[in-house]
Amino acid sequence: MSPVKWSKRDVPAALETRYVRDGWWTEETLGGQVATWLADAPDTTVATHSRTNQWQGTFADIDDEARRLVSLLRGEGLEPGAVIAFQIPNWREAVVSFAALAMGGYVLVPIVHIYGAAEVAFILDECGAEAYISPASFGYVDYTTIVDERQIDGLRLHVVVGEGADAPAPDAVRRVAWDEVAAHEPATDLPEVAPADAVVLAYTSGTTSDPKGVIHDHRTLLAELAHINGMAKPDMANLMGSPVTHATGMLGAVLSPLWLANPIHLIDRWDPGHALEVMAEHGIGGGTGASVFLSTLLDHPDFTPEHAANMPYIGLGGAPVPIALGERAESWGIRIIRAYGSTEHPSISGSTYEDPPEKRHRTDGRALPGVELRLVDADGNEVAAGEPGEIVSRGPDLCMGYTNPALNDAFDDEGWYRTGDIGILDGDGFLTITDRVKDIIIRGGENLSAAEIEDRVAVVPGVAEVAVVAAPDGRLGERACAVIRMQADAEPIDLPTLTGHLEAAGVTRQKWPEEISIVDDFPRTPSGKIRKVDLRARLREQAD
């Protein structure tokens, strides 16, 4: 078993008692529930739509292959409680891995498939992963090279999906092909684990350059699923583009449909034209998740009233939702709701489909059942109604802390979590997010670390100083804008030159700025710190 390098925060006894009393925290576990859901609806469809890796089967097929994967992992000496990471696009193997690792009693570490060598090596090392499941490569990321060229303490098994398992591995690592799963008998004796044990370590970019590992136990994750299913419309099938290794995809594209016995439809590359073809062929909806999924469907010339008729209800979250997008969707007969949360506290607030359009389009809803939220000033004092303040929250789905305990000062002794987001509450209790204290850009639902991008841009020749901030984007919600002060003798840099330097340095494409603003100097605090809030406000004004 991997040496545990992380510990959970303390939950106040009164809160724990309340969550148990109100039925949010139970003795159920994720693995036990997944096994039940698969068994209760064996004929429900699972389909992964891909130009290269198409597959369609049922819950029964997923259950069988997942239990065989458990047997393979046991045969490799991996016992319940071992930390196992997987980095797979929206393919069948990703759904199977989720089910297998949950049922096998392992600690799951889903890694977004676009993460490159630096992020993946950091995650595998920090979480203490003993096994890693991935393709040899996908897109422009070579996962095999990450294992082969990075020294990752404790990693001893690499399961390769598809071709490439025959490549030589480091001495400490055994590499096996996913195809070997079929040769094992399905595991029938699933382990018992404690509901308060960690079950998912979800890594997300934040205000630091390195990803943050967020700890969820069985209780917090199942409470979050109860929130999602409380907002969902049952018996609706949607094509999901969110990566299943991202929090939004894990919850909305896999676990929630399993619970509701809804068909699972995934697409591995978000091509709106291909998505519309799939939606028409299968008579399903789409657009759920970050606003980019809905906006690109509506923008596409092949979008028709028939598509709209199959997607009457769309839940949006994970990135800012432009008001105009909600109004445009409404003109097609599509009713949207906005929800607000984070990997740490996945569901803080949300609207209902019965709320009036001005609330659904212009706010992020009210506090969800079991959740408490307050708005406070910099000293922690509650602000007056209608005034902006930092959002602090607590609830049964709030995570159990970070893998890096130094980050746990975000939680206080009473169980409140400082989100780093700024909001306003109206007289009806509806929350609107207005800004962020924490320095991230949410591009199409993916968190980008401004600090990491700044570190890369700062070393480009001619750059004297840089601040990376979120600029409004009608399609993605936000994009990264690099505000740059050039050295006195340097010519202003343009975007192609900048991205050329970043590409040569091996920076992941999603982290390239999509906009540049050259300034003579920055707005600053009295201590000289750049006032990014002013830069973001300026970019919003220019976009209006």
mmCIF file with all atom_site columns, all heavy atoms in Angstrom, residues 216-227:
data_model
loop_
_atom_site.group_PDB
_atom_site.id
_atom_site.type_symbol
_atom_site.label_atom_id
_atom_site.label_alt_id
_atom_site.label_comp_id
_atom_site.label_asym_id
_atom_site.label_entity_id
_atom_site.label_seq_id
_atom_site.pdbx_PDB_ins_code
_atom_site.Cartn_x
_atom_site.Cartn_y
_atom_site.Cartn_z
_atom_site.occupancy
_atom_site.B_iso_or_equiv
_atom_site.pdbx_formal_charge
_atom_site.auth_seq_id
_atom_site.auth_comp_id
_atom_site.auth_asym_id
_atom_site.auth_atom_id
_atom_site.pdbx_PDB_model_num
ATOM 1  N N   . HIS A 1 216 ? -11.732 13.933 -1.423 1.00 0.00 ? 216 HIS A N   1
ATOM 2  C CA  . HIS A 1 216 ? -13.138 13.639 -1.150 1.00 0.00 ? 216 HIS A CA  1
ATOM 3  C C   . HIS A 1 216 ? -13.241 12.231 -0.586 1.00 0.00 ? 216 HIS A C   1
ATOM 4  O O   . HIS A 1 216 ? -12.588 11.305 -1.092 1.00 0.00 ? 216 HIS A O   1
ATOM 5  C CB  . HIS A 1 216 ? -13.987 13.758 -2.416 1.00 0.00 ? 216 HIS A CB  1
ATOM 6  C CG  . HIS A 1 216 ? -14.396 15.162 -2.738 1.00 0.00 ? 216 HIS A CG  1
ATOM 7  N ND1 . HIS A 1 216 ? -15.412 15.806 -2.076 1.00 0.00 ? 216 HIS A ND1 1
ATOM 8  C CD2 . HIS A 1 216 ? -13.905 16.051 -3.648 1.00 0.00 ? 216 HIS A CD2 1
ATOM 9  C CE1 . HIS A 1 216 ? -15.547 17.031 -2.559 1.00 0.00 ? 216 HIS A CE1 1
ATOM 10 N NE2 . HIS A 1 216 ? -14.648 17.209 -3.510 1.00 0.00 ? 216 HIS A NE2 1
ATOM 11 N N   . ASP A 1 217 ? -14.048 12.085 0.464  1.00 0.00 ? 217 ASP A N   1
ATOM 12 C CA  . ASP A 1 217 ? -14.323 10.743 0.958  1.00 0.00 ? 217 ASP A CA  1
ATOM 13 C C   . ASP A 1 217 ? -15.667 10.270 0.404  1.00 0.00 ? 217 ASP A C   1
ATOM 14 O O   . ASP A 1 217 ? -16.326 10.990 -0.358 1.00 0.00 ? 217 ASP A O   1
ATOM 15 C CB  . ASP A 1 217 ? -14.238 10.673 2.484  1.00 0.00 ? 217 ASP A CB  1
ATOM 16 C CG  . ASP A 1 217 ? -15.294 11.485 3.218  1.00 0.00 ? 217 ASP A CG  1
ATOM 17 O OD1 . ASP A 1 217 ? -16.322 11.846 2.608  1.00 0.00 ? 217 ASP A OD1 1
ATOM 18 O OD2 . ASP A 1 217 ? -15.106 11.752 4.429  1.00 0.00 ? 217 ASP A OD2 1
ATOM 19 N N   . HIS A 1 218 ? -16.074 9.055  0.764  1.00 0.00 ? 218 HIS A N   1
ATOM 20 C CA  . HIS A 1 218 ? -17.312 8.492  0.220  1.00 0.00 ? 218 HIS A CA  1
ATOM 21 C C   . HIS A 1 218 ? -18.514 9.359  0.586  1.00 0.00 ? 218 HIS A C   1
ATOM 22 O O   . HIS A 1 218 ? -19.430 9.533  -0.217 1.00 0.00 ? 218 HIS A O   1
ATOM 23 C CB  . HIS A 1 218 ? -17.505 7.069  0.767  1.00 0.00 ? 218 HIS A CB  1
ATOM 24 C CG  . HIS A 1 218 ? -16.419 6.122  0.376  1.00 0.00 ? 218 HIS A CG  1
ATOM 25 N ND1 . HIS A 1 218 ? -16.491 5.314  -0.741 1.00 0.00 ? 218 HIS A ND1 1
ATOM 26 C CD2 . HIS A 1 218 ? -15.213 5.862  0.939  1.00 0.00 ? 218 HIS A CD2 1
ATOM 27 C CE1 . HIS A 1 218 ? -15.395 4.588  -0.833 1.00 0.00 ? 218 HIS A CE1 1
ATOM 28 N NE2 . HIS A 1 218 ? -14.594 4.906  0.170  1.00 0.00 ? 218 HIS A NE2 1
ATOM 29 N N   . ARG A 1 219 ? -18.497 9.936  1.777  1.00 0.00 ? 219 ARG A N   1
ATOM 30 C CA  . ARG A 1 219 ? -19.650 10.710 2.239  1.00 0.00 ? 219 ARG A CA  1
ATOM 31 C C   . ARG A 1 219 ? -19.792 12.008 1.458  1.00 0.00 ? 219 ARG A C   1
ATOM 32 O O   . ARG A 1 219 ? -20.900 12.363 1.028  1.00 0.00 ? 219 ARG A O   1
ATOM 33 C CB  . ARG A 1 219 ? -19.505 10.995 3.734  1.00 0.00 ? 219 ARG A CB  1
ATOM 34 C CG  . ARG A 1 219 ? -19.347 9.756  4.604  1.00 0.00 ? 219 ARG A CG  1
ATOM 35 C CD  . ARG A 1 219 ? -19.009 10.117 6.039  1.00 0.00 ? 219 ARG A CD  1
ATOM 36 N NE  . ARG A 1 219 ? -17.804 10.948 6.120  1.00 0.00 ? 219 ARG A NE  1
ATOM 37 C CZ  . ARG A 1 219 ? -17.333 11.480 7.241  1.00 0.00 ? 219 ARG A CZ  1
ATOM 38 N NH1 . ARG A 1 219 ? -17.982 11.277 8.386  1.00 0.00 ? 219 ARG A NH1 1
ATOM 39 N NH2 . ARG A 1 219 ? -16.239 12.214 7.239  1.00 0.00 ? 219 ARG A NH2 1
ATOM 40 N N   . THR A 1 220 ? -18.702 12.735 1.273  1.00 0.00 ? 220 THR A N   1
ATOM 41 C CA  . THR A 1 220 ? -18.795 14.016 0.569  1.00 0.00 ? 220 THR A CA  1
ATOM 42 C C   . THR A 1 220 ? -19.151 13.806 -0.891 1.00 0.00 ? 220 THR A C   1
ATOM 43 O O   . THR A 1 220 ? -19.923 14.569 -1.478 1.00 0.00 ? 220 THR A O   1
ATOM 44 C CB  . THR A 1 220 ? -17.496 14.814 0.689  1.00 0.00 ? 220 THR A CB  1
ATOM 45 O OG1 . THR A 1 220 ? -16.417 14.104 0.059  1.00 0.00 ? 220 THR A OG1 1
ATOM 46 C CG2 . THR A 1 220 ? -17.144 15.071 2.142  1.00 0.00 ? 220 THR A CG2 1
ATOM 47 N N   . LEU A 1 221 ? -18.588 12.752 -1.509 1.00 0.00 ? 221 LEU A N   1
ATOM 48 C CA  . LEU A 1 221 ? -18.851 12.529 -2.931 1.00 0.00 ? 221 LEU A CA  1
ATOM 49 C C   . LEU A 1 221 ? -20.300 12.092 -3.164 1.00 0.00 ? 221 LEU A C   1
ATOM 50 O O   . LEU A 1 221 ? -20.962 12.556 -4.104 1.00 0.00 ? 221 LEU A O   1
ATOM 51 C CB  . LEU A 1 221 ? -17.887 11.480 -3.474 1.00 0.00 ? 221 LEU A CB  1
ATOM 52 C CG  . LEU A 1 221 ? -17.700 11.487 -4.993 1.00 0.00 ? 221 LEU A CG  1
ATOM 53 C CD1 . LEU A 1 221 ? -17.115 12.807 -5.462 1.00 0.00 ? 221 LEU A CD1 1
ATOM 54 C CD2 . LEU A 1 221 ? -16.796 10.346 -5.425 1.00 0.00 ? 221 LEU A CD2 1
ATOM 55 N N   . LEU A 1 222 ? -20.826 11.220 -2.314 1.00 0.00 ? 222 LEU A N   1
ATOM 56 C CA  . LEU A 1 222 ? -22.208 10.784 -2.479 1.00 0.00 ? 222 LEU A CA  1
ATOM 57 C C   . LEU A 1 222 ? -23.182 11.913 -2.142 1.00 0.00 ? 222 LEU A C   1
ATOM 58 O O   . LEU A 1 222 ? -24.257 12.010 -2.757 1.00 0.00 ? 222 LEU A O   1
ATOM 59 C CB  . LEU A 1 222 ? -22.485 9.555  -1.619 1.00 0.00 ? 222 LEU A CB  1
ATOM 60 C CG  . LEU A 1 222 ? -21.774 8.276  -2.101 1.00 0.00 ? 222 LEU A CG  1
ATOM 61 C CD1 . LEU A 1 222 ? -21.983 7.141  -1.103 1.00 0.00 ? 222 LEU A CD1 1
ATOM 62 C CD2 . LEU A 1 222 ? -22.250 7.861  -3.491 1.00 0.00 ? 222 LEU A CD2 1
ATOM 63 N N   . ALA A 1 223 ? -22.823 12.787 -1.203 1.00 0.00 ? 223 ALA A N   1
ATOM 64 C CA  . ALA A 1 223 ? -23.662 13.957 -0.936 1.00 0.00 ? 223 ALA A CA  1
ATOM 65 C C   . ALA A 1 223 ? -23.697 14.869 -2.152 1.00 0.00 ? 223 ALA A C   1
ATOM 66 O O   . ALA A 1 223 ? -24.747 15.431 -2.500 1.00 0.00 ? 223 ALA A O   1
ATOM 67 C CB  . ALA A 1 223 ? -23.132 14.719 0.290  1.00 0.00 ? 223 ALA A CB  1
ATOM 68 N N   . GLU A 1 224 ? -22.570 15.017 -2.833 1.00 0.00 ? 224 GLU A N   1
ATOM 69 C CA  . GLU A 1 224 ? -22.537 15.828 -4.045 1.00 0.00 ? 224 GLU A CA  1
ATOM 70 C C   . GLU A 1 224 ? -23.412 15.215 -5.143 1.00 0.00 ? 224 GLU A C   1
ATOM 71 O O   . GLU A 1 224 ? -24.128 15.925 -5.859 1.00 0.00 ? 224 GLU A O   1
ATOM 72 C CB  . GLU A 1 224 ? -21.101 15.982 -4.537 1.00 0.00 ? 224 GLU A CB  1
ATOM 73 C CG  . GLU A 1 224 ? -20.950 16.524 -5.939 1.00 0.00 ? 224 GLU A CG  1
ATOM 74 C CD  . GLU A 1 224 ? -21.650 17.854 -6.161 1.00 0.00 ? 224 GLU A CD  1
ATOM 75 O OE1 . GLU A 1 224 ? -21.989 18.547 -5.182 1.00 0.00 ? 224 GLU A OE1 1
ATOM 76 O OE2 . GLU A 1 224 ? -21.876 18.209 -7.324 1.00 0.00 ? 224 GLU A OE2 1
ATOM 77 N N   . LEU A 1 225 ? -23.373 13.909 -5.276 1.00 0.00 ? 225 LEU A N   1
ATOM 78 C CA  . LEU A 1 225 ? -24.220 13.267 -6.274 1.00 0.00 ? 225 LEU A CA  1
ATOM 79 C C   . LEU A 1 225 ? -25.697 13.481 -5.964 1.00 0.00 ? 225 LEU A C   1
ATOM 80 O O   . LEU A 1 225 ? -26.520 13.646 -6.874 1.00 0.00 ? 225 LEU A O   1
ATOM 81 C CB  . LEU A 1 225 ? -23.902 11.774 -6.352 1.00 0.00 ? 225 LEU A CB  1
ATOM 82 C CG  . LEU A 1 225 ? -22.649 11.413 -7.134 1.00 0.00 ? 225 LEU A CG  1
ATOM 83 C CD1 . LEU A 1 225 ? -22.328 9.935  -6.980 1.00 0.00 ? 225 LEU A CD1 1
ATOM 84 C CD2 . LEU A 1 225 ? -22.821 11.760 -8.608 1.00 0.00 ? 225 LEU A CD2 1
ATOM 85 N N   . ALA A 1 226 ? -26.050 13.476 -4.682 1.00 0.00 ? 226 ALA A N   1
ATOM 86 C CA  . ALA A 1 226 ? -27.434 13.758 -4.310 1.00 0.00 ? 226 ALA A CA  1
ATOM 87 C C   . ALA A 1 226 ? -27.829 15.165 -4.742 1.00 0.00 ? 226 ALA A C   1
ATOM 88 O O   . ALA A 1 226 ? -28.962 15.393 -5.204 1.00 0.00 ? 226 ALA A O   1
ATOM 89 C CB  . ALA A 1 226 ? -27.617 13.587 -2.805 1.00 0.00 ? 226 ALA A CB  1
ATOM 90 N N   . HIS A 1 227 ? -26.915 16.138 -4.628 1.00 0.00 ? 227 HIS A N   1
ATOM 91 C CA  . HIS A 1 227 ? -27.190 17.489 -5.093 1.00 0.00 ? 227 HIS A CA  1
ATOM 92 C C   . HIS A 1 227 ? -27.416 17.514 -6.602 1.00 0.00 ? 227 HIS A C   1
ATOM 93 O O   . HIS A 1 227 ? -28.377 18.117 -7.092 1.00 0.00 ? 227 HIS A O   1
ATOM 94 C CB  . HIS A 1 227 ? -26.014 18.412 -4.750 1.00 0.00 ? 227 HIS A CB  1
ATOM 95 C CG  . HIS A 1 227 ? -26.093 19.000 -3.385 1.00 0.00 ? 227 HIS A CG  1
ATOM 96 N ND1 . HIS A 1 227 ? -24.974 19.301 -2.641 1.00 0.00 ? 227 HIS A ND1 1
ATOM 97 C CD2 . HIS A 1 227 ? -27.143 19.348 -2.610 1.00 0.00 ? 227 HIS A CD2 1
ATOM 98 C CE1 . HIS A 1 227 ? -25.336 19.813 -1.488 1.00 0.00 ? 227 HIS A CE1 1
ATOM 99 N NE2 . HIS A 1 227 ? -26.652 19.851 -1.437 1.00 0.00 ? 227 HIS A NE2 1
#
